[in-house]
């Protein structure tokens, strides 16, 4: 089998890149380890930056998002018993975010892929990348008992943190930068009305909490828990109790509780590899970087990588501009490091660390007080939250 671009992974990065390339007439094949249902069953991100919203529209998959997504003009920071609003629209000259679940983005992209007729091999095993620096880059895999070989010109490694693409790069090529946080987020999805129209990020002496939503009738709430905690130890009742204790009184009083329809613990990590290219292989999204979810940046960073790679591949395949390929990594990394910084800062400012004593707690509260009390501070938070601009490829 032959194609122009082989895409490893059918998460949001792989499917979005595939859709954009297909629309532009660039042949591509997607290879995914899991089944479509498994991919759709993962409950993850929910806040889309303006840049990602625009990219989904450009890919022709924005119709349902525009109908069902919730445009948010701001969010709230809760600390020291106060609720302070960050007015995104006013502070950024009109920019907003869209609340629309990653599951829904993936579903829309899967449907577009199926409608396009472009190939996507689900439940592929033994995926291996070959000749990444050679004349004949190709991918081999096992699909329904059949051994397959896919020859291509470029390989997009969109296979997440645990994928095969990054691991296919020889030892010593990549520099890794990592911070693992000593806590996780316990998340609950429930069919209850949101406690607030906008997201609430709460700093509390018992630990961080987040009130988020997926729709006017479906909520996603989180509380910070110790890294060693087990989800089985958290009954719904214990979760709702803990959440209420971490919210300002007037918010806790309004909270509507109900049975959880999903409950899981996610570890928090910051991670970046440099460079994001090795020969014909380009790492995209979680394959190259992870952020703690505090700044709502993981999925959005994946989208900005896709945008950059797509625009470079367009020029490569339509105008023969192979010189642009080596710019991919540096263009992406400039934006990635800024999002890493924001996510790390939000995490540091809002969570309780094992060494958070009374002094550090006051420092966190004072930092929040300082930022929300200054127009420059609120603007800094707002412009990072809505997403920094995408860099042009030349
Ligand atoms: C529990 C959790 C909660 C999160 N919450 C948020 C949030 O609130 N906000 C936010 O912005 N971000 C969040 N994120 C991050 C966000 O979900 C990711 O940044 C996003 O999914 C990245 O998309 P991706 O396509 O690059 O990778 P993935 O979504 O990981 O997709 C990679 C795909 O590659 C496939 N794959 C893996 N190995 C192979 C292989 N060997 N061969 C073929 N295919 C393979 C996988 O099955 C998967 O389908 C969360 C992540 C997790 C894990």
């Amino acid at each position: 089998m032959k194609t122009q671009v082989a895409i490893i992974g059918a998460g949001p990065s792989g499917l979005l890149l595939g859709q954009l390339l297909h629309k532009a007439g660039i042949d591509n094949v997607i290879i995914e380890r899991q089944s479509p249902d498994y991919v759709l069953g993962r409950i993850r991100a929910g806040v889309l930056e303006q840049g990602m919203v625009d990219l989904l529209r450009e890919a022709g998959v924005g119709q349902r998002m525009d109908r069902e997504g919730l445009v948010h003009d701001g969010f709230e920071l809760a600390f020291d018993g106060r609720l302070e609003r960050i007015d995104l629209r006013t502070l950024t000259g009109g920019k907003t975010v869209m609340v629309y679940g990653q599951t829904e983005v993936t579903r829309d992209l899967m449907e577009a892929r199926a409608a396009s007729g472009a190939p996507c091999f689900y439940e592929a095993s033994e995926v291996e990348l070959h000749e990444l620096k050679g004349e004949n880059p190709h991918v081999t895999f096992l699909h329904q008992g059949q051994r397959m070989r896919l020859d291509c010109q470029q390989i997009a490694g969109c296979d997440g943190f645990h994928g095969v693409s990054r691991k296919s790069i020889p030892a010593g090529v990549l520099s890794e930068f990592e911070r693992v946080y000593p806590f996780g987020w316990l998340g609950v999805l429930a069919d209850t009305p949101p406690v607030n129209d906008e997201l609430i990020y709460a700093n509390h002496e018992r630990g961080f909490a987040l009130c988020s939503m997926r729709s006017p009738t479906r909520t996603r709430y989180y509380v910070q828990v110790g890294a060693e905690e087990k989800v089985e130890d958290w009954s719904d009742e214990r979760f709702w109790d803990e959440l209420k204790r971490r919210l300002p009184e007037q918010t806790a009083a309004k909270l509507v509780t109900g049975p959880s329809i999903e409950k899981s613990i996610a570890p928090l990590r910051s991670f970046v590899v440099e460079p994001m290219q090795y020969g014909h292989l380009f790492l995209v999204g979680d394959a190259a970087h992870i952020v703690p979810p505090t700044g709502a940046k993981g999925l959005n960073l994946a989208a900005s990588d896709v945008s950059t790679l797509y625009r470079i591949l367009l020029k490569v395949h339509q105008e023969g501009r192979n010189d642009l390929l080596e710019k991919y990594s540096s263009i992406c990394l400039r934006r990635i490091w800024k999002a890493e910084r924001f996510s790390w800062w939000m995490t540091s400012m809002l969570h309780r660390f094992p060494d958070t004593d009374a002094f550090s707690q006051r420092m966190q509260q004072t930092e929040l007080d300082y930022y929300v009390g200054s127009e420059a501070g609120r603007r800094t938070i707002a412009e990072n939250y809505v997403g920094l601009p995408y860099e042009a490829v030349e």
Side-chain angles (χ1 to χ4, degrees), residues 121-175:
F121 292 90
Y122 282 97
E123 297 182 82
S125 59
E126 298 178 28
V127 179
E128 286 177 27
L129 282 48
H130 309 271
E131 288 199 50
L132 296 177
K133 282 214 157 180
E135 291 288 299
N136 300 300
H138 61 281
V139 182
T140 55
F141 58 101
L142 198 60
H143 186 253
Q144 295 177 346
Q146 219 182 329
R147 199 151 289 283
M148 316 279 280
R149 172 178 167 139
L150 176 64
D151 287 283
C152 56
Q153 292 166 43
Q154 287 88 29
I155 302 174
C158 301
D159 49 353
F161 184 65
H162 299 288
V164 66
S165 298
R166 193 179 67 250
K167 292 177 195 147
S168 306
I169 298 175
V173 171
L174 299 178
S175 300

Short mmCIF file of all heavy atoms in Angstrom, two decimals, residues 121-175:
data_model
loop_
_atom_site.label_atom_id
_atom_site.label_comp_id
_atom_site.label_asym_id
_atom_site.label_seq_id
_atom_site.Cartn_x
_atom_site.Cartn_y
_atom_site.Cartn_z
N PHE A 121 -7.24 2.31 9.59
CA PHE A 121 -7.18 0.93 10.08
C PHE A 121 -7.25 0.93 11.60
O PHE A 121 -6.28 1.30 12.26
CB PHE A 121 -5.88 0.26 9.62
CG PHE A 121 -5.81 0.03 8.14
CD1 PHE A 121 -5.29 1.00 7.28
CD2 PHE A 121 -6.30 -1.15 7.59
CE1 PHE A 121 -5.25 0.80 5.92
CE2 PHE A 121 -6.26 -1.36 6.22
CZ PHE A 121 -5.73 -0.38 5.38
N TYR A 122 -8.39 0.53 12.15
CA TYR A 122 -8.51 0.40 13.61
C TYR A 122 -8.03 -0.98 14.04
O TYR A 122 -7.95 -1.91 13.24
CB TYR A 122 -9.98 0.61 14.03
CG TYR A 122 -10.37 2.08 14.04
CD1 TYR A 122 -11.03 2.66 12.97
CD2 TYR A 122 -10.06 2.89 15.13
CE1 TYR A 122 -11.37 4.01 12.97
CE2 TYR A 122 -10.39 4.25 15.15
CZ TYR A 122 -11.04 4.79 14.07
OH TYR A 122 -11.37 6.13 14.08
N GLU A 123 -7.74 -1.10 15.32
CA GLU A 123 -7.29 -2.35 15.94
C GLU A 123 -6.09 -2.93 15.20
O GLU A 123 -6.03 -4.14 14.94
CB GLU A 123 -8.45 -3.35 16.02
CG GLU A 123 -9.58 -2.80 16.92
CD GLU A 123 -10.75 -3.75 17.08
OE1 GLU A 123 -10.63 -4.66 17.90
OE2 GLU A 123 -11.76 -3.56 16.38
N ALA A 124 -5.16 -2.05 14.86
CA ALA A 124 -3.90 -2.49 14.23
C ALA A 124 -2.91 -2.80 15.35
O ALA A 124 -2.82 -2.05 16.32
CB ALA A 124 -3.36 -1.39 13.34
N SER A 125 -2.18 -3.89 15.21
CA SER A 125 -1.18 -4.21 16.24
C SER A 125 0.20 -4.29 15.60
O SER A 125 0.34 -4.22 14.37
CB SER A 125 -1.55 -5.51 16.95
OG SER A 125 -1.61 -6.55 16.01
N GLU A 126 1.20 -4.43 16.46
CA GLU A 126 2.60 -4.54 16.01
C GLU A 126 2.97 -3.43 15.01
O GLU A 126 3.61 -3.69 13.98
CB GLU A 126 2.85 -5.93 15.39
CG GLU A 126 2.63 -7.04 16.41
CD GLU A 126 2.84 -8.44 15.85
OE1 GLU A 126 3.62 -8.59 14.90
OE2 GLU A 126 2.18 -9.37 16.36
N VAL A 127 2.53 -2.21 15.32
CA VAL A 127 2.83 -1.08 14.43
C VAL A 127 4.33 -0.74 14.56
O VAL A 127 4.82 -0.54 15.67
CB VAL A 127 1.97 0.15 14.82
CG1 VAL A 127 2.30 1.34 13.93
CG2 VAL A 127 0.48 -0.20 14.75
N GLU A 128 5.02 -0.74 13.44
CA GLU A 128 6.46 -0.42 13.47
C GLU A 128 6.80 0.57 12.37
O GLU A 128 6.28 0.50 11.26
CB GLU A 128 7.29 -1.70 13.27
CG GLU A 128 7.29 -2.59 14.50
CD GLU A 128 8.06 -3.89 14.29
OE1 GLU A 128 8.99 -3.90 13.44
OE2 GLU A 128 7.69 -4.88 14.93
N LEU A 129 7.71 1.50 12.71
CA LEU A 129 8.12 2.55 11.76
C LEU A 129 9.52 2.20 11.25
O LEU A 129 10.39 1.80 12.03
CB LEU A 129 8.17 3.91 12.49
CG LEU A 129 6.84 4.63 12.76
CD1 LEU A 129 5.78 3.74 13.37
CD2 LEU A 129 7.06 5.87 13.61
N HIS A 130 9.73 2.35 9.93
CA HIS A 130 11.00 1.94 9.34
C HIS A 130 11.59 3.05 8.46
O HIS A 130 10.85 3.84 7.87
CB HIS A 130 10.81 0.70 8.45
CG HIS A 130 10.09 -0.42 9.14
ND1 HIS A 130 10.73 -1.39 9.86
CD2 HIS A 130 8.76 -0.71 9.21
CE1 HIS A 130 9.83 -2.24 10.35
NE2 HIS A 130 8.63 -1.85 9.96
N GLU A 131 12.91 3.00 8.36
CA GLU A 131 13.67 3.91 7.47
C GLU A 131 13.29 5.37 7.68
O GLU A 131 13.01 6.10 6.72
CB GLU A 131 13.47 3.51 6.00
CG GLU A 131 14.19 2.22 5.65
CD GLU A 131 14.40 2.06 4.15
OE1 GLU A 131 14.89 3.00 3.50
OE2 GLU A 131 14.05 0.98 3.65
N LEU A 132 13.28 5.78 8.93
CA LEU A 132 12.87 7.16 9.23
C LEU A 132 13.83 8.17 8.62
O LEU A 132 13.45 9.29 8.32
CB LEU A 132 12.75 7.36 10.75
CG LEU A 132 11.66 6.51 11.41
CD1 LEU A 132 11.65 6.70 12.92
CD2 LEU A 132 10.29 6.86 10.82
N LYS A 133 15.07 7.76 8.44
CA LYS A 133 16.03 8.66 7.79
C LYS A 133 16.43 8.14 6.42
O LYS A 133 17.35 8.67 5.78
CB LYS A 133 17.27 8.80 8.67
CG LYS A 133 17.05 9.76 9.85
CD LYS A 133 18.30 10.53 10.20
CE LYS A 133 17.93 11.80 10.91
NZ LYS A 133 19.09 12.58 11.29
N GLY A 134 15.79 7.08 5.97
CA GLY A 134 16.21 6.42 4.73
C GLY A 134 15.44 6.92 3.51
O GLY A 134 14.66 7.87 3.58
N GLU A 135 15.65 6.20 2.40
CA GLU A 135 15.02 6.56 1.12
C GLU A 135 13.55 6.15 1.08
O GLU A 135 12.76 6.77 0.37
CB GLU A 135 15.75 5.83 -0.02
CG GLU A 135 17.17 6.32 -0.27
CD GLU A 135 17.16 7.71 -0.91
OE1 GLU A 135 16.61 7.82 -2.01
OE2 GLU A 135 17.68 8.66 -0.29
N ASN A 136 13.23 5.06 1.79
CA ASN A 136 11.88 4.50 1.69
C ASN A 136 11.17 4.39 3.04
O ASN A 136 10.97 3.28 3.55
CB ASN A 136 11.95 3.10 1.06
CG ASN A 136 12.57 3.13 -0.31
OD1 ASN A 136 12.05 3.79 -1.21
ND2 ASN A 136 13.71 2.47 -0.45
N PRO A 137 10.79 5.53 3.62
CA PRO A 137 10.09 5.42 4.91
C PRO A 137 8.82 4.59 4.75
O PRO A 137 8.11 4.72 3.75
CB PRO A 137 9.76 6.88 5.25
CG PRO A 137 9.89 7.64 3.98
CD PRO A 137 10.87 6.90 3.12
N HIS A 138 8.56 3.72 5.73
CA HIS A 138 7.32 2.93 5.66
C HIS A 138 6.92 2.45 7.05
O HIS A 138 7.71 2.48 7.98
CB HIS A 138 7.44 1.77 4.67
CG HIS A 138 8.51 0.78 4.99
ND1 HIS A 138 9.85 1.00 4.72
CD2 HIS A 138 8.45 -0.44 5.57
CE1 HIS A 138 10.56 -0.04 5.10
NE2 HIS A 138 9.74 -0.93 5.64
N VAL A 139 5.67 2.01 7.13
CA VAL A 139 5.11 1.52 8.39
C VAL A 139 4.61 0.11 8.14
O VAL A 139 3.98 -0.15 7.11
CB VAL A 139 3.91 2.41 8.83
CG1 VAL A 139 3.35 1.94 10.17
CG2 VAL A 139 4.32 3.88 8.91
N THR A 140 4.89 -0.80 9.07
CA THR A 140 4.31 -2.14 8.97
C THR A 140 3.40 -2.37 10.17
O THR A 140 3.63 -1.80 11.25
CB THR A 140 5.39 -3.24 8.94
OG1 THR A 140 6.23 -3.07 10.09
CG2 THR A 140 6.23 -3.17 7.68
N PHE A 141 2.35 -3.17 9.98
CA PHE A 141 1.43 -3.47 11.08
C PHE A 141 0.61 -4.71 10.74
O PHE A 141 0.58 -5.17 9.59
CB PHE A 141 0.51 -2.27 11.38
CG PHE A 141 -0.32 -1.81 10.21
CD1 PHE A 141 -1.66 -2.15 10.10
CD2 PHE A 141 0.22 -0.99 9.20
CE1 PHE A 141 -2.45 -1.71 9.03
CE2 PHE A 141 -0.55 -0.54 8.13
CZ PHE A 141 -1.88 -0.90 8.05
N LEU A 142 -0.04 -5.22 11.78
CA LEU A 142 -0.87 -6.40 11.63
C LEU A 142 -2.33 -5.95 11.72
O LEU A 142 -2.70 -5.25 12.69
CB LEU A 142 -0.54 -7.36 12.78
CG LEU A 142 -0.94 -8.81 12.63
CD1 LEU A 142 -0.26 -9.44 11.41
CD2 LEU A 142 -0.52 -9.58 13.90
N HIS A 143 -3.14 -6.31 10.72
CA HIS A 143 -4.55 -5.91 10.75
C HIS A 143 -5.42 -7.09 10.33
O HIS A 143 -5.25 -7.63 9.24
CB HIS A 143 -4.79 -4.72 9.80
CG HIS A 143 -6.17 -4.17 9.89
ND1 HIS A 143 -7.11 -4.36 8.90
CD2 HIS A 143 -6.79 -3.47 10.87
CE1 HIS A 143 -8.24 -3.78 9.26
NE2 HIS A 143 -8.07 -3.23 10.44
N GLN A 144 -6.32 -7.49 11.23
CA GLN A 144 -7.19 -8.66 10.99
C GLN A 144 -6.38 -9.85 10.49
O GLN A 144 -6.72 -10.47 9.48
CB GLN A 144 -8.30 -8.28 10.00
CG GLN A 144 -9.23 -7.22 10.59
CD GLN A 144 -10.31 -6.76 9.64
OE1 GLN A 144 -10.26 -7.01 8.43
NE2 GLN A 144 -11.28 -6.06 10.19
N GLY A 145 -5.29 -10.09 11.17
CA GLY A 145 -4.47 -11.26 10.86
C GLY A 145 -3.57 -11.09 9.65
O GLY A 145 -2.81 -12.01 9.29
N GLN A 146 -3.65 -9.96 8.99
CA GLN A 146 -2.86 -9.76 7.77
C GLN A 146 -1.72 -8.80 8.03
O GLN A 146 -1.93 -7.74 8.63
CB GLN A 146 -3.78 -9.15 6.71
CG GLN A 146 -3.52 -9.70 5.34
CD GLN A 146 -4.43 -9.03 4.32
OE1 GLN A 146 -5.55 -8.61 4.62
NE2 GLN A 146 -3.92 -8.90 3.10
N ARG A 147 -0.53 -9.14 7.59
CA ARG A 147 0.61 -8.24 7.76
C ARG A 147 0.58 -7.20 6.63
O ARG A 147 0.44 -7.56 5.47
CB ARG A 147 1.90 -9.05 7.73
CG ARG A 147 3.05 -8.31 8.33
CD ARG A 147 4.09 -9.22 8.96
NE ARG A 147 3.68 -9.87 10.20
CZ ARG A 147 3.61 -9.29 11.39
NH1 ARG A 147 3.89 -8.00 11.52
NH2 ARG A 147 3.25 -9.96 12.45
N MET A 148 0.65 -5.91 7.00
CA MET A 148 0.52 -4.85 6.00
C MET A 148 1.80 -4.02 5.96
O MET A 148 2.48 -3.85 6.97
CB MET A 148 -0.63 -3.90 6.36
CG MET A 148 -1.91 -4.54 6.82
SD MET A 148 -2.92 -5.11 5.48
CE MET A 148 -3.70 -3.60 4.97
N ARG A 149 2.06 -3.43 4.78
CA ARG A 149 3.18 -2.48 4.66
C ARG A 149 2.64 -1.22 3.97
O ARG A 149 1.98 -1.30 2.93
CB ARG A 149 4.30 -3.10 3.82
CG ARG A 149 5.38 -2.06 3.51
CD ARG A 149 6.53 -2.66 2.71
NE ARG A 149 7.36 -1.56 2.20
CZ ARG A 149 8.67 -1.56 2.17
NH1 ARG A 149 9.35 -2.59 2.61
NH2 ARG A 149 9.34 -0.52 1.67
N LEU A 150 2.92 -0.09 4.59
CA LEU A 150 2.45 1.19 4.05
C LEU A 150 3.66 2.06 3.72
O LEU A 150 4.38 2.51 4.62
CB LEU A 150 1.56 1.89 5.09
CG LEU A 150 1.05 3.29 4.75
CD1 LEU A 150 0.12 3.25 3.53
CD2 LEU A 150 0.31 3.90 5.95
N ASP A 151 3.89 2.30 2.42
CA ASP A 151 4.99 3.19 2.02
C ASP A 151 4.47 4.62 1.97
O ASP A 151 3.32 4.86 1.60
CB ASP A 151 5.51 2.77 0.64
CG ASP A 151 6.30 1.48 0.72
OD1 ASP A 151 7.45 1.53 1.16
OD2 ASP A 151 5.72 0.41 0.40
N CYS A 152 5.33 5.57 2.35
CA CYS A 152 4.85 6.95 2.44
C CYS A 152 6.02 7.92 2.29
O CYS A 152 7.18 7.50 2.20
CB CYS A 152 4.19 7.16 3.81
SG CYS A 152 5.28 6.74 5.16
N GLN A 153 5.68 9.22 2.28
CA GLN A 153 6.75 10.23 2.22
C GLN A 153 7.02 10.82 3.60
O GLN A 153 8.15 11.13 3.93
CB GLN A 153 6.36 11.32 1.22
CG GLN A 153 6.34 10.78 -0.22
CD GLN A 153 5.65 11.71 -1.18
OE1 GLN A 153 5.83 12.92 -1.16
NE2 GLN A 153 4.82 11.15 -2.04
N GLN A 154 5.96 11.03 4.36
CA GLN A 154 6.13 11.51 5.73
C GLN A 154 5.29 10.64 6.67
O GLN A 154 4.28 10.08 6.25
CB GLN A 154 5.65 12.97 5.90
CG GLN A 154 6.55 14.03 5.28
CD GLN A 154 6.21 14.28 3.82
OE1 GLN A 154 5.06 14.12 3.40
NE2 GLN A 154 7.19 14.66 3.03
N ILE A 155 5.73 10.59 7.93
CA ILE A 155 4.96 9.88 8.97
C ILE A 155 4.63 10.90 10.06
O ILE A 155 5.53 11.57 10.59
CB ILE A 155 5.75 8.71 9.59
CG1 ILE A 155 6.17 7.71 8.50
CG2 ILE A 155 4.94 8.02 10.68
CD1 ILE A 155 7.09 6.59 8.97
N ALA A 156 3.33 11.01 10.38
CA ALA A 156 2.92 11.89 11.48
C ALA A 156 2.68 11.01 12.71
O ALA A 156 1.78 10.16 12.70
CB ALA A 156 1.66 12.66 11.10
N GLY A 157 3.48 11.18 13.74
CA GLY A 157 3.34 10.40 14.98
C GLY A 157 2.32 11.07 15.87
O GLY A 157 2.64 11.94 16.67
N CYS A 158 1.03 10.66 15.73
CA CYS A 158 -0.06 11.28 16.50
C CYS A 158 -0.57 10.28 17.52
O CYS A 158 -1.77 10.22 17.80
CB CYS A 158 -1.21 11.65 15.55
SG CYS A 158 -0.75 12.79 14.25
N ASP A 159 0.32 9.45 18.06
CA ASP A 159 -0.12 8.30 18.86
C ASP A 159 0.04 8.49 20.36
O ASP A 159 0.18 7.52 21.11
CB ASP A 159 0.56 7.01 18.38
CG ASP A 159 2.07 7.16 18.24
OD1 ASP A 159 2.57 8.29 18.37
OD2 ASP A 159 2.74 6.15 17.99
N GLY A 160 -0.01 9.73 20.82
CA GLY A 160 -0.11 9.99 22.26
C GLY A 160 1.17 9.68 23.02
O GLY A 160 2.19 9.26 22.46
N PHE A 161 1.08 9.87 24.33
CA PHE A 161 2.26 9.75 25.20
C PHE A 161 2.84 8.34 25.20
O PHE A 161 4.06 8.17 25.27
CB PHE A 161 1.84 10.16 26.63
CG PHE A 161 2.97 10.16 27.60
CD1 PHE A 161 4.02 11.07 27.46
CD2 PHE A 161 3.00 9.27 28.66
CE1 PHE A 161 5.07 11.08 28.37
CE2 PHE A 161 4.05 9.28 29.58
CZ PHE A 161 5.09 10.18 29.42
N HIS A 162 1.97 7.30 25.13
CA HIS A 162 2.45 5.92 25.23
C HIS A 162 2.64 5.27 23.86
O HIS A 162 2.81 4.06 23.77
CB HIS A 162 1.46 5.08 26.06
CG HIS A 162 1.31 5.60 27.45
ND1 HIS A 162 2.29 5.46 28.40
CD2 HIS A 162 0.30 6.30 28.05
CE1 HIS A 162 1.89 6.03 29.53
NE2 HIS A 162 0.69 6.55 29.34
N GLY A 163 2.60 6.07 22.79
CA GLY A 163 2.63 5.50 21.44
C GLY A 163 4.00 4.99 21.02
O GLY A 163 4.99 5.09 21.76
N VAL A 164 4.05 4.48 19.79
CA VAL A 164 5.27 3.85 19.29
C VAL A 164 6.19 4.86 18.59
O VAL A 164 7.40 4.65 18.47
CB VAL A 164 4.88 2.68 18.32
CG1 VAL A 164 4.20 3.21 17.06
CG2 VAL A 164 6.08 1.84 17.95
N SER A 165 5.63 5.98 18.13
CA SER A 165 6.41 6.89 17.28
C SER A 165 7.62 7.47 18.00
O SER A 165 8.75 7.38 17.49
CB SER A 165 5.52 8.04 16.79
OG SER A 165 4.47 7.52 16.02
N ARG A 166 7.38 8.06 19.18
CA ARG A 166 8.51 8.67 19.89
C ARG A 166 9.55 7.61 20.24
O ARG A 166 10.75 7.85 20.14
CB ARG A 166 8.00 9.38 21.15
CG ARG A 166 9.05 10.29 21.78
CD ARG A 166 8.54 11.01 23.01
NE ARG A 166 8.28 10.14 24.12
CZ ARG A 166 7.08 9.83 24.60
NH1 ARG A 166 6.00 10.34 24.05
NH2 ARG A 166 6.94 9.00 25.61
N LYS A 167 9.07 6.41 20.57
CA LYS A 167 9.99 5.32 20.96
C LYS A 167 10.78 4.80 19.77
O LYS A 167 11.77 4.07 19.95
CB LYS A 167 9.19 4.17 21.59
CG LYS A 167 8.60 4.56 22.94
CD LYS A 167 7.75 3.43 23.52
CE LYS A 167 6.88 3.95 24.65
NZ LYS A 167 5.60 3.26 24.73
N SER A 168 10.36 5.13 18.55
CA SER A 168 11.08 4.65 17.36
C SER A 168 12.30 5.51 17.03
O SER A 168 13.07 5.18 16.13
CB SER A 168 10.15 4.66 16.13
OG SER A 168 8.99 3.94 16.41
N ILE A 169 12.44 6.61 17.74
CA ILE A 169 13.59 7.51 17.50
C ILE A 169 14.77 6.97 18.32
O ILE A 169 14.61 6.67 19.50
CB ILE A 169 13.23 8.96 17.90
CG1 ILE A 169 12.06 9.45 17.02
CG2 ILE A 169 14.44 9.87 17.79
CD1 ILE A 169 11.51 10.82 17.38
N PRO A 170 15.94 6.80 17.68
CA PRO A 170 17.06 6.19 18.41
C PRO A 170 17.42 6.95 19.68
O PRO A 170 17.26 8.18 19.76
CB PRO A 170 18.22 6.26 17.40
CG PRO A 170 17.60 6.49 16.09
CD PRO A 170 16.28 7.15 16.30
N ALA A 171 17.90 6.19 20.67
CA ALA A 171 18.30 6.78 21.95
C ALA A 171 19.35 7.85 21.71
O ALA A 171 20.20 7.73 20.82
CB ALA A 171 18.86 5.69 22.86
N GLY A 172 19.29 8.91 22.48
CA GLY A 172 20.30 9.96 22.40
C GLY A 172 19.92 11.11 21.49
O GLY A 172 20.54 12.17 21.52
N VAL A 173 18.86 10.92 20.68
CA VAL A 173 18.47 12.00 19.74
C VAL A 173 17.62 13.05 20.46
O VAL A 173 17.80 14.26 20.27
CB VAL A 173 17.67 11.41 18.55
CG1 VAL A 173 17.06 12.51 17.70
CG2 VAL A 173 18.57 10.51 17.71
N LEU A 174 16.70 12.58 21.30
CA LEU A 174 15.75 13.50 21.92
C LEU A 174 16.22 13.96 23.30
O LEU A 174 16.78 13.17 24.06
CB LEU A 174 14.38 12.81 22.10
CG LEU A 174 13.67 12.34 20.85
CD1 LEU A 174 12.36 11.65 21.21
CD2 LEU A 174 13.39 13.52 19.91
N SER A 175 15.97 15.22 23.61
CA SER A 175 16.13 15.69 24.99
C SER A 175 14.75 15.69 25.62
O SER A 175 13.78 16.17 25.00
CB SER A 175 16.67 17.11 25.02
OG SER A 175 17.90 17.16 24.38
#
